[in-house]
Amino acid sequence: MCGIAGLSVLSIQAPADLVPIAARMGAAIAHRGPDAAGTWQHPALGVALAHQRLAILDLSPAGHQPMASASGRYVIAFNGEIYNHQQLRRVLDAAGLAPTWRGHADTETLLAAIEAWGLEGALQRCAGMWALALVDQHQRVLHLARDRFGEKPLYWGLSGSGTSQVLLFCSELASLRAYPGFNNAIDRAALAQLLRFGQVPAPLSIYAGIAKLRAGHWVSIPLPLTPGASLPRSQPWWQLSSVIEAGSTAAFQSDAEALDALEQSLSLAVAEQAIADVPLGAFLSGGIDSSLIAALLQRQSSQPLRTFTIGFEEAGFNEAPYARAVAEHLGTSHSETLLTSADARALIPQLPQLYCEPFADSSQLPTHLVCRAARQAGLTVALSGDGGDELFGGYNRYFWGPRIWNRLAWLPGPLRRGLGRAITALPPPAWDALGQPLPIGQLGHKAHKLAARLRYVRSSDDLYRSLVSEWRDPAQLLQGEPPDLEPTAIDQPLPACLSSDPIARMMAWDSLSYLPDDILVKVDRAAMAVGLETRAPFLDHRVAQVAWRLPMAMKIRGNTSKWALRQILYKHVPKELIERPKAGFAMPIGQWLRGPLRAWASELLHPDRLSQEGYLRPEPITRLWQQHLSGRYDHTTKLWSVLMWQAWFEQWG
């Protein structure tokens, strides 16, 4: 796991030494790779690469980057892991396509695969996660590519104008800000989408002219850059829609056959991802996903697995006891870290530094703290359960979203609005008290969230889009003329085979948007800030292929979520240790905003400050802030997106 950065200058610019600039861009993300730093340039092509190394495989200098292929044709800066690289080496050896191996780094394997099969052919054969910059010195092309689900980040775009224009690319925006003279404006459309989703969805970034390369995409840029030429559009080398379509025509014959295929694919993914030349462990929340990964990992290990969890001092949010019980049953070496409001206050000022662009999923706080605890305990690699919800039907909205719509769709708009007002008349704590017997965590927050959307939705798809959005019309929050908002991933059509299944549609959209733009961003930045590599076995593409072959009844059966995963897990962990309401990795940020974080938030949300900064209209924000402080409304997620923008802008604006 590493960080990459680089630049390409115009052909009319005189060949210059680009290494100092590339090194400066790399140093800005040294936290991603604290073990070594390297640069490479080709002055005639006007391109330079920088690499910050977190050594995981082959700790020797043979794993140093940027790395050249055996023939010298290709030079790569690679961030990620190729989990099946040993198998690829055997295939290359058997076919007589292997070079004389210099070491056992997966990057060397990838370069040999590229020389043998081309970049796209190599990527199709790889199981792993990555963002890469590859210079083909023969074809005079720079290739940028990203993994299937978007586990590793990659920004790219132009800065400057005229003869000073330059192409920049990097793992984190800190590298762009380290480029001399970088002054790209704030993208107001990206800001509006931040307020809508709590994150900036790909391909946007918070800076105009800079894009995120989409998950499963690559782009090839001729070198050197031609003055005035527009950049080529990225193209998909892998598409989830193809996996979904293939799965719809390859159903399993029985539950037993499906469960066997799923367990085999998961066990293989865990085994491959457990390969490392450094200390490795796992996150454990006590939920289905992390418990299953920990169980499979412990089954394959002769030593106690090291597991880590986070707890909260506030009642109703602490799942640490459940994780402890699972750890005791599995026999892992378990550690807990308790999060207090004081910890949150200490960490919040660091968030603009940890997250290179504004990001507003409040579970970023415990995620970083558990990563920090794992790193301080000596781990360099940690496996997680990310991806289990999206692939196997774990989110609460998959249950009650379609059901509620089916019961309320016939109601006229005025009646739905009246129902919404009735729901919000009861404050969230009262709903939580009423819902204690129900298997729904944070019922009050969810009830208020639903009520706020009842008047606007017109279909189950519309309800989903509303549920994953916070501010309904975020462009109206911006000062000045509202920006044009291009369609996002959740506005795009899905394969026809999903047309009649609203739950499968939600799961597909979550995999295309919420997973890469929120969950994986959160984990990558939280972990890489302390030089920790995280791995997600559920996101192995072979596991995903099995998941999309499963009928919905094997994901959600009756009132049971992730039914298939549970059947495998119960082979290793007693059912009674797992069955409880799903709470997620939530935290009591709403309570803290009314208490120990109130002064901090009030300063950032002050109407005069908002007016003077020139981006957000103070009136609607002030109104929601006062409602939230009253305790009768829970506007946590709306306010957190504004606060994270304000905190980020205070440091980087």
Side-chain angles (χ1 to χ4, degrees):
M1 195 57 56
C2 308
I4 65 174
L7 68 155
S8 178
V9 299
L10 295 175
S11 58
I12 60 172
Q13 296 181 14
D17 185 4
L18 301 177
V19 164
I21 299 175
R24 180 176 173 180
M25 295 175 67
I29 53 172
H31 53 274
R32 297 186 67 92
D35 296 329
T39 55
W40 172 89
Q41 70 170 338
H42 192 306
L45 296 181
V47 64
L49 305 177
H51 187 267
Q52 294 290 150
R53 186 184 185 198
L54 177 63
I56 303 295
L57 293 173
D58 194 343
L59 310 187
S60 75
H64 187 73
Q65 295 189 50
M67 183 183 292
S69 63
S71 71
R73 173 177 175 176
Y74 298 101
V75 179
I76 196 171
F78 178 74
N79 167 28
E81 298 290 344
I82 307 300
Y83 301 128
N84 64 335
H85 89 98
Q86 294 178 346
Q87 176 191 356
L88 292 177
R89 285 200 175 199
R90 290 192 291 270
V91 172
L92 289 165
D93 286 336
L97 299 173
T100 299
W101 300 110
R102 293 165 286 178
H104 64 274
D106 58 337
T107 306
E108 184 184 6
T109 308
L110 176 59
L111 282 169
I114 292 170
E115 290 209 315
W117 303 309
L119 177 58
E120 185 172 13
L123 296 183
Q124 294 288 356
R125 290 169 169 85
C126 288
M129 57 178 179
W130 59 80
L132 63 85
L134 177 78
V135 176
D136 182 339
Q137 299 184 85
H138 292 186
Q139 295 294 325
R140 301 168 69 90
V141 172
L142 167 68
H143 301 289
L144 304 175
R146 198 172 177 208
D147 63 67
R148 294 173 177 86
F149 284 98
E151 293 184 69
K152 295 294 102 186
L154 186 54
Y155 294 87
W156 68 298
L158 296 173
S159 184
S161 60
T163 58
S164 65
Q165 197 168 55
V166 61
L167 170 71
L168 303 173
F169 48 93
C170 56
S171 297
E172 295 185 21
L173 293 180
S175 293
L176 303 190
R177 293 190 285 264
Y179 177 78
F182 178 80
N183 62 352
N184 290 39
I186 298 295
D187 187 333
R188 297 174 72 251
L191 173 55
Q193 298 289 32
L194 167 71
L195 297 174
R196 180 186 179 190
F197 296 114
Q199 34 80 7
V200 179
L204 295 174
S205 86
I206 198 62
Y207 291 120
I210 303 298
K212 298 185 186 80
L213 188 63
R214 292 182 186 271
H217 277 59
W218 68 330
V219 63
S220 300
I221 305 162
L223 296 175
L225 294 179
T226 302
S230 59
L231 292 178
R233 296 177 63 88
S234 68
Q235 300 295 326
W237 64 268
W238 182 87
Q239 293 180 288
L240 179 63
S241 59
S242 298
V243 174
I244 294 173
E245 290 170 342
S248 69
T249 61
F252 291 104
Q253 298 301 308
S254 66
D255 285 359
E257 179 191 12
L259 290 173
D260 183 62
L262 177 57
E263 186 167 12
Q264 286 189 38
S265 65
L266 265 176
S267 297
L268 174 62
V270 169
E272 288 183 348
Q273 295 190 26
I275 297 173
D277 294 336
V278 292
L280 177 145
F283 298 137
L284 179 61
S285 69
I288 296 164
D289 303 333
S290 65
S291 296
L292 180 53
I293 297 303
L296 294 176
L297 193 56
Q298 183 62 78
R299 184 182 67 177
Q300 298 174 10
S301 175
S302 59
Q303 301 295 324
L305 171 70
R306 300 182 67 182
T307 54
F308 296 83
T309 194
I310 202 84
F312 303 100
E313 62 180 2
E314 282 79 0
F317 290 89
N318 188 17
E319 291 196 304
Y322 305 114
R324 189 184 315 128
V326 173
E328 290 175 354
H329 178 81
L330 293 175
T332 71
S333 175
H334 190 62
S335 299
E336 294 178 9
T337 298
L338 183 68
L339 177 64
T340 68
S341 56
D343 296 321
R345 289 197 302 271
L347 181 56
I348 284 173
Q350 302 173 40
L351 292 178
Q353 189 71 39
L354 297 179
Y355 290 83
C356 58
E357 66 182 343
F359 181 77
D361 181 337
S362 61
S363 62
Q364 62 201 125
L365 294 169
T367 300
H368 175 68
L369 289 173
V370 73
C371 290
R372 190 170 70 186
R375 189 64 163 126
Q376 289 175 344
L379 289 195
T380 308
V381 178
L383 273 63
S384 78
D386 293 315
D389 286 316
E390 293 83 0
L391 289 173
F392 296 97
Y395 291 127
N396 284 322
R397 57 175 168 263
Y398 301 155
F399 284 85
W400 55 267
R403 295 179 185 181
I404 288 175
W405 176 249
N406 290 338
R407 287 167 173 77
L408 300 179
W410 62 274
L411 287 176
L415 287 179
R416 271 189 268 146
R417 287 194 293 272
L419 179 60
R421 286 192 295 270
I423 292 173
T424 54
L426 200 63
W431 278 108
D432 290 339
L434 289 174
Q436 284 184 353
L438 302 176
I440 301 178
Q442 303 179 64
L443 178 61
H445 167 70
K446 291 166 183 172
H448 276 231
K449 185 174 182 177
L450 171 65
R453 289 152 172 78
L454 286 177
R455 61 180 293 184
Y456 303 115
V457 298
R458 298 176 297 279
S459 67
S460 58
D461 286 353
D462 203 20
L463 177 60
Y464 166 78
R465 294 187 182 98
S466 181
L467 289 172
V468 297
S469 304
E470 294 306 330
W471 294 91
R472 185 178 66 88
D473 192 2
Q476 298 300 318
L477 287 175
L478 273 58
Q479 296 184 34
E481 189 71 19
D484 294 330
L485 300 184
E486 296 184 6
T488 66
I490 65 171
D491 301 308
Q492 303 300 322
L494 293 172
C497 61
L498 301 182
S499 60
S500 61
D501 191 337
I503 298 177
R505 293 172 69 80
M506 288 192 288
M507 292 170 61
W509 273 320
D510 276 341
S511 296
L512 292 166
S513 58
Y514 182 62
L515 178 65
D517 293 329
D518 188 300
I519 299 297
L520 298 180
V521 170
K522 173 184 67 179
V523 174
D524 175 80
R525 306 306 190 275
M528 294 309 297
V530 292
L532 177 74
E533 173 173 303
T534 56
R535 300 176 176 181
F538 285 118
L539 296 183
D540 185 294
H541 68 285
R542 297 160 295 188
V543 175
Q545 288 167 354
V546 173
W548 280 104
R549 290 181 63 192
L550 298 178
M552 187 56 66
M554 290 195 69
K555 298 175 182 177
I556 298 176
R557 182 166 293 190
N559 291 319
T560 301
S561 66
K562 292 188 276 198
W563 182 86
L565 295 185
R566 291 175 191 265
Q567 307 318 301
I568 301 172
L569 176 60
Y570 295 155
K571 295 180 180 181
H572 309 281
V573 178
K575 185 176 182 180
E576 56 269 21
L577 294 184
I578 300 298
E579 297 296 338
R580 65 182 186 278
K582 177 180 174 63
F585 213 12
M587 60 182 301
I589 194 73
Q591 298 175 20
W592 292 349
L593 288 176
R594 298 186 187 99
L597 299 180
R598 180 170 179 169
W600 167 80
S602 294
E603 181 180 353
L604 289 174
L605 300 178
H606 195 282
D608 291 344
R609 179 173 186 158
L610 294 172
S611 296
Q612 292 169 6
E613 289 170 347
Y615 287 97
L616 302 181
R617 296 174 53 234
E619 297 83 5
I621 295 169
T622 300
R623 182 171 63 253
L624 260 69
W625 177 229
Q626 294 303 319
Q627 289 178 351
H628 184 83
L629 290 177
S630 74
R632 294 191 60 82
Y633 299 88
D634 186 350
H635 296 312
T636 301
T637 48
K638 283 187 174 70
L639 293 169
W640 193 249
S641 64
V642 176
L643 288 165
M644 288 296 95
W645 157 253
Q646 288 293 102
W648 182 90
F649 184 75
E650 182 178 52
Q651 179 163 347
W652 302 114

